[in-house]
Amino acid sequence: MISICNKSVLETVSEKDIEALKPQAQAAAQTLEKGDGAGNDFLGWLHLPSEITAAELNDINATAKHLREQCDYVVVIGIGGSYLGAKAVIEALSDNFAAYKHNEGAKVVFAGNNIGEDYLSDLMRLLDGKRFGIVVISKSGTTTEPAIAFRLLKNMLEKQVGKAEASKLIVAITDAKRGALRSLATQEGYKTYVIADNVGGRFSVLTPVGLLPVAIAGFDINALVAGAVEMEKAPADMMTTYAATRNALYQAGKKIEILVNYNPNLHFLAEWWKQLYGESEGKDGKGIFPASVDFTTDLHSMGQWIQDGERTIFETVITVEKQRHEVVIPTDDADLDGLNYIAGKRVDEVNKMAELGTRLAHVDGGVPCMLITLPALTEKYLGQLIYFFEKACGMSGYMLGVNPFNQPGVEAYKRNMFALLNKPGYEAQSAELAKRL
Ligand code: PA5
C-alpha cells in the first residue's frame, strides 16, 4: 500500500495544529459520503472504482485490442480532465524511450490539448499514410481545442481509408445525450462511451476517459482499478493526514504546494495533480497554488528559489521505493571523473541520497515537506495514488470552504476568445472588446 509521512512539517506547524484540523477533514469525508455538500451532483467518482463492472472493463479492453491491432498510432484527443489522467498514467508506466521503439504495438499520441499550429501540422505529417485511429474525448462535446484537432484528423482519416472504414477506427467518449460530439458520433455510427453526468473532467481518469487510452497503450486497467478499489475501501486516514496537514500549512502562510518527484516518469502525474487541485481549490480568492518540479533536474533551476526564496512554500515529495530496472555504476581504473567513490552502487541509491539530502536541506531552509511513498511504479499503486489524491482533494476543498467540484473561472478566457473570433452569439462581447483594444 502507498503511505504518507508528515513528520518533516513539524518545525513549521505542530502536531497539535494538525490534529486540531483532523476532525474537519473527517467531517469533510462524511460530507462526501452523505453527499450533502456543495457540488454534490458531481460525486460520481467517489465509489466509481468499486462500481466499475467486469463487463465494462472487458468492453474497454476489447476496444483497445481492436485499435491496437488495426493501428500503428492512436491519437487521443482531449484537454484538461479529458487528457491529463490518461497521459499521467501512460507516462508513469511507459519505457522512457517507447516513442523511438518500433513493433511494440500501437503508439498513443495526444492532440487537442493545445492550439499549436505546428504541433498539429507535425502530427498530421507523422500520420500521413500510416494506419491510425482516433479516440476523441470531450464531456461537453463542445470544447474548441479538441474540436479543431478532431475536425482535422477525422477529415484526414476519411480521406485515407474512406468514411465507412474511418468510422470503425474512431471512438468517441462524451456525454450520454448532450453536445456536438454526441450528435456527430450518433450520426457517424462511432463506438462510444459515456462520461456520467456526475463525474467532472478532472475526476474522470478511472472512467473510459482514462481507462481506454491506458489500455490502448498496453497497460493493465484491471490492476489500476483494483488499486483504486483498495484505497476506496481503506480507512481514510491517509487522506485525513494529507488534507489536515496541507490546510494547517496553508493557515501558517504556506500558500504554495510543490509536488516533487525524483522520477522522470512522474512528470505528468504532477500535471494531472495540478489540474485536480488547482481547479478544485483555486476559487473565491482562496486556495493553495499547486506547483511541481522534477528533481534532480529542477534542482539545477528551481532549487535555488526553493532553498532560499520567499518562505511561502511547502513540498509534497512522491518517492518510488523500487525501480523497474537496475543499473550499477561501473568502476573505472583511471577514475578521471572522480566517481569511483560511488562505483558499485545502483543509480537509484544515488538518486535516493539526492532525495534525502534535498529534503533535509529544504527542511533546514524552512520548507516543510510531506512524503508519499509508492512501493513501485505499477498500475496497482498508481490506482491507489489517484484515488487517494481525488478523495483528499474533495476533503481539502470542503475544509477550505469552497465547492471543489465546479470551475467557473475557466469560462472567462473562452468568452473572450469566442468574442475575438466573432462566434455567433458573442456579438455584444465582440463589440465591447473591440472598444477596449
Ligand atoms: O476538469 C474539467 O472539467 C476541465 O478541465 C475539462 O476536463 C476540460 O475543460 C475539457 O472539457 P471537455 O471534456 O468538456 O472537453
Side-chain angles (χ1 to χ4, degrees), residues 78-83 137-143 146 195 200-204 275 279 407 410 414:
I79 194 166
S82 291
Y83 126 85
I137 308 171
S138 177
K139 182 173 180 189
S140 62
T142 56
T143 308
I195 311 174
R202 58 188 174 275
F203 288 85
S204 69
Q275 189 213 1
E279 274 192 357
Q407 54 284 329
V410 298
K414 291 185 194 169

Side-chain angles (χ1 to χ4, degrees), residues 172-355:
I173 307 179
T174 188
D175 185 85
K177 298 194 189 87
R178 286 181 301 258
L181 182 57
R182 170 56 60 186
S183 325
L184 200 154
T186 307
Q187 184 160 325
E188 305 281 6
Y190 300 151
K191 165 85 179 167
T192 62
Y193 291 96
V194 170
I195 311 174
D197 277 349
N198 61 358
V199 180
R202 58 188 174 275
F203 288 85
S204 69
V205 53
L206 297 171
T207 72
V209 169
L211 297 178
L212 180 61
V214 169
I216 295 168
F219 299 111
D220 184 349
I221 57 170
N222 297 56
L224 185 76
V225 171
V229 172
E230 284 173 2
M231 190 53 81
E232 181 193 326
K233 303 270 185 212
D237 299 355
M238 227 185 119
M239 293 80 149
T240 302
T241 298
Y242 181 58
T245 306
R246 65 198 297 280
N247 277 286
L249 290 165
Y250 182 59
Q251 288 172 15
K254 304 294 180 187
K255 306 287 187 192
I256 300 165
E257 178 176 7
I258 306 178
L259 195 74
V260 179
N261 71 73
Y262 284 80
N263 187 325
N265 290 83
L266 290 175
H267 175 84
F268 271 95
L269 196 280
E271 297 302 315
W272 169 80
W273 171 88
K274 283 194 284 194
Q275 189 213 1
L276 182 64
Y277 280 78
E279 274 192 357
S280 299
E281 293 193 317
K283 51 197 72 158
D284 306 337
K286 299 191 261 194
I288 296 171
F289 182 84
S292 66
V293 287
D294 302 320
F295 285 168
T296 61
T297 312
D298 292 334
L299 283 172
H300 299 259
S301 62
M302 293 302 291
Q304 172 60 37
W305 200 104
I306 294 170
Q307 186 68 45
D308 273 345
E310 198 179 355
R311 302 297 71 187
T312 47
I313 56 174
F314 67 97
E315 289 180 329
T316 298
V317 176
I318 300 186
T319 190
V320 179
E321 271 177 343
K322 193 172 179 302
Q323 304 308 301
R324 287 196 273 265
H325 306 285
E326 286 192 22
V327 177
V328 174
I329 298 167
T331 306
D332 185 284
D333 287 344
D335 196 27
L336 293 176
D337 53 12
L339 276 189
N340 271 355
Y341 79 104
I342 49 171
K345 288 190 194 301
R346 286 185 53 189
V347 171
D348 192 51
E349 208 177 327
V350 179
N351 202 24
K352 290 288 193 302
M353 289 309 109
E355 180 186 321

